[in-house]
Amino acid sequence: MMQSKGKLLIVDDEKIALKNLVHVLKKDGYDVTSAQSGTAALALVESQFFDVVLTDLKMEKVDGMQVLKKCHERSPDIEVIVITGYATPESAVEAMKQGAFYYIAKPFRLEEVRQVVGEAIEKVRLKRENCQLREQIESYEGRVKIITQDSHMRRLLEMARQVAPTDCNVLITGESGTGKELFARYLHYNSARADGPFLAVNCGAFSEQLLSNELFGHEKGAFTGALTLKKGLIESAEGGTLFLDEITEMSSAMQVKLLRVIQEREVLRLGGTSPVKTDARYIAATNRDMREVTKDGSFRQDLFFRLNVVNLHIPPLCERSGDVALLSVFFLKKFATLMRKEVTEISPDAIAILESHDFPGNVRELENIIERGVAINTGHVIQVAHLPDNLRELSARSFKKKEGRIPSLEEQEKAYIRWVLNEAGGNQTSAAQMLGINRVSLWRKLKVYEMEEGNGS
């Protein structure tokens, strides 16, 4: 199957003009979505990602300028081409001022449209390459890189990029292992505080007394053993970011103290009499439902409002389309480099099993699985045999929908035979015994399904 040259959205309330343009650009190898109104276009832009949008200017209710504005609110990477049968110098100037890539007057020449679309796609590609390069450079400098191709995650990253420079407090929610601290670091390194410290503390890992000392510090002589002054993390995060992980595990008394620090921008050390001015940004995270913990009174509503200026909710890995394979390859390269091993691939069968797993431990669980696969590997490829037992068992009993449809009996049988052959180390005689059929029957099935034959011994 030919790879798409780019994802396009074409918007025009003239049905025939829309149909013709869709037909031509699909033939040219683009993945094309169409909308016959500006209202429909706004809904599509909100729910999907596009590389280039071609929109008619004059439409009822929602016009092309509104579509253009929405596209740029959605993502700065999207390029918008405005097409109109009511071309005027004023409308052209206004469209370009609003950030349109190009302005085409009707009737247009198809060659002109093709050329402009090609140039817009190339600009998008270059912008994304530059962004990836910048992120790679930042990761080499000890900064952060978030690997995803899921549309919801990309929207989250876009929101994080917009929020990062504002210095407002952020609450990150999501299951354990989804990457909440990674997002916190991403916010920090994309903010004006990037050169300041990033300090993290797990609020559930300390007793109330120890957490108080960690956050607020103490004066010399504040208690027995306090031989010197100790600055707390709130002070130490001056000019930077303080990440409060598992914030809902903080006691009520500590919540009151933290609320005052955030409101007054000053901290009082234990044993101190004069508050110290502070300048830290606060990012908090939890895997619990904030509505429940504020409703039952275990978490103060006023502190919740202070921290939840912006909420980023990270979806579990099982809901992130395409990210399992992408992250698997990323972790493979990472651990192969760290362990100095020449493991360079993951077999399609192993990827299929990973993609059918629901990952209760999320990204952290996947990372551990790939680390294990590299560690026990003596070859170049992570095979099904290198996966944990529970995943290999899963491959024999998985009836998950494939690409939104129920797999056929033939597909299930083919996958099951492949799994049994793998378990038998490619030995057809052993595999036939496991399957409860004779070797000739297995050989026939392998021929029918055009599967590679294993070791016949």
Side-chain angles (χ1 to χ4, degrees), residues 257-453:
K257 291 180 183 178
L258 179 63
L259 177 62
R260 188 182 184 284
V261 169
I262 294 173
Q263 285 176 333
E264 305 301 327
R265 309 296 286 183
E266 60 183 29
V267 62
L268 184 65
R269 302 186 195 117
L270 182 64
T273 55
S274 300
V276 179
K277 288 293 179 185
T278 63
D279 175 30
R281 181 191 200 169
Y282 297 92
I283 300 176
T286 181
N287 59 8
R288 296 177 65 184
D289 186 333
M290 290 302 295
R291 290 169 299 181
E292 291 297 320
V293 293
T294 51
K295 188 178 177 181
D296 66 20
S298 59
F299 197 83
R300 294 182 64 94
Q301 196 172 58
D302 46 6
L303 179 57
F304 168 66
F305 289 139
R306 282 286 178 181
L307 294 171
N308 192 45
V309 178
V310 174
N311 174 232
L312 298 176
H313 181 75
I314 307 176
L317 182 57
C318 62
E319 294 178 9
R320 289 162 53 175
S321 174
D323 277 3
V324 170
L326 193 68
L327 285 164
S328 297
V329 173
F330 174 77
F331 291 137
L332 172 69
K333 291 176 181 176
K334 172 185 170 180
F335 291 116
T337 302
L338 288 173
M339 298 179 194
R340 297 179 183 176
K341 299 188 87 170
E342 294 186 6
V343 186
T344 56
E345 294 178 48
I346 306 175
S347 74
D349 288 348
I351 286 290
I353 290 172
L354 289 171
E355 288 186 325
S356 66
H357 184 43
D358 57 3
F359 284 102
N362 291 295
V363 179
R364 192 179 294 131
E365 181 185 357
L366 175 60
E367 184 174 11
N368 290 343
I369 288 168
I370 301 301
E371 183 178 9
R372 175 188 185 275
V374 173
I376 65 174
N377 210 310
T378 55
H380 300 291
V381 183
I382 291 181
Q383 303 282 4
V384 173
H386 299 120
L387 300 179
D389 291 345
N390 65 312
L391 264 73
R392 286 189 280 127
E393 289 166 9
L394 173 74
S395 70
R397 63 174 191 267
S398 175
F399 297 97
K400 190 174 180 180
K401 285 185 179 181
K402 185 177 181 182
E403 297 171 353
R405 63 180 179 82
I406 302 292
S408 67
L409 182 61
E410 180 180 306
E411 287 174 313
Q412 288 286 15
E413 184 178 52
K414 186 176 177 180
Y416 182 60
I417 290 171
R418 183 183 285 116
W419 178 78
V420 172
L421 272 169
N422 198 293
E423 288 292 299
N427 187 303
Q428 287 185 27
T429 304
S430 299
Q433 289 171 351
M434 292 178 188
L435 289 163
I437 59 177
N438 60 47
R439 188 177 155 185
V440 174
S441 296
L442 175 59
W443 177 82
R444 284 180 182 144
K445 287 181 182 294
L446 293 174
K447 287 294 183 187
V448 168
Y449 293 144
E450 297 180 341
M451 295 166 65
E452 291 181 12
E453 295 181 47

Side-chain angles (χ1 to χ4, degrees), residues 34-50:
S34 62
Q36 210 174 326
S37 70
T39 306
L42 293 187
L44 286 166
V45 169
E46 189 63 41
S47 62
Q48 298 182 40
F49 268 87
F50 298 97

Side-chain angles (χ1 to χ4, degrees), residues 138-205:
E138 287 173 354
S139 67
Y140 294 147
E141 292 172 351
R143 295 194 175 185
V144 65
K145 185 176 183 182
I146 295 175
I147 308 295
T148 186
Q149 63 181 20
D150 176 67
S151 60
H152 182 67
M153 284 290 288
R154 284 168 65 182
R155 284 199 295 275
L156 274 182
L157 280 172
E158 182 58 39
M159 185 184 290
R161 274 195 288 269
Q162 291 172 359
V163 168
T166 65
D167 220 23
C168 64
N169 298 333
V170 178
L171 179 66
I172 305 173
T173 53
E175 295 177 8
S176 294
T178 48
K180 295 188 288 293
E181 183 171 343
L182 197 64
F183 259 85
R185 290 181 182 275
Y186 187 88
L187 285 164
H188 173 73
Y189 287 117
N190 282 279
S191 75
R193 296 176 175 266
D195 293 329
F198 176 90
L199 302 179
V201 60
N202 187 323
C203 300

Side-chain angles (χ1 to χ4, degrees), residues 31-149:
D31 177 5
V32 183
T33 301
S34 62
Q36 210 174 326
S37 70
T39 306
L42 293 187
L44 286 166
V45 169
E46 189 63 41
S47 62
Q48 298 182 40
F49 268 87
F50 298 97
D51 298 311
V52 174
V53 174
L54 295 89
T55 180
D56 192 17
L57 185 60
K58 297 287 183 183
M59 294 181 290
E60 290 184 10
K61 292 184 180 179
V62 176
D63 64 16
M65 295 302 287
Q66 289 170 282
V67 173
L68 169 62
K69 185 181 177 184
K70 184 67 175 179
C71 287
H72 287 164
E73 284 175 2
R74 180 77 166 78
S75 170
D77 287 347
I78 300 176
E79 291 297 340
V80 180
I81 299 165
V82 174
I83 301 175
T84 182
Y86 304 92
T88 65
E90 291 77 19
S91 61
V93 169
E94 182 60 23
M96 302 308 280
K97 273 173 65 178
Q98 293 299 321
F101 177 78
Y102 206 83
Y103 183 95
I104 299 175
K106 291 181 180 178
F108 52 75
R109 292 180 298 107
L110 282 177
E111 275 312 308
E112 180 187 12
V113 175
R114 283 179 167 133
Q115 182 179 343
V116 172
V117 169
E119 289 171 356
I121 286 286
E122 179 64 11
K123 185 178 178 183
V124 170
R125 186 188 67 78
L126 288 171
K127 279 199 289 188
R128 287 179 182 161
E129 273 188 6
N130 288 337
C131 183
Q132 287 170 359
L133 183 60
R134 187 169 66 251
E135 287 180 353
Q136 284 174 5
I137 291 167
E138 287 173 354
S139 67
Y140 294 147
E141 292 172 351
R143 295 194 175 185
V144 65
K145 185 176 183 182
I146 295 175
I147 308 295
T148 186
Q149 63 181 20

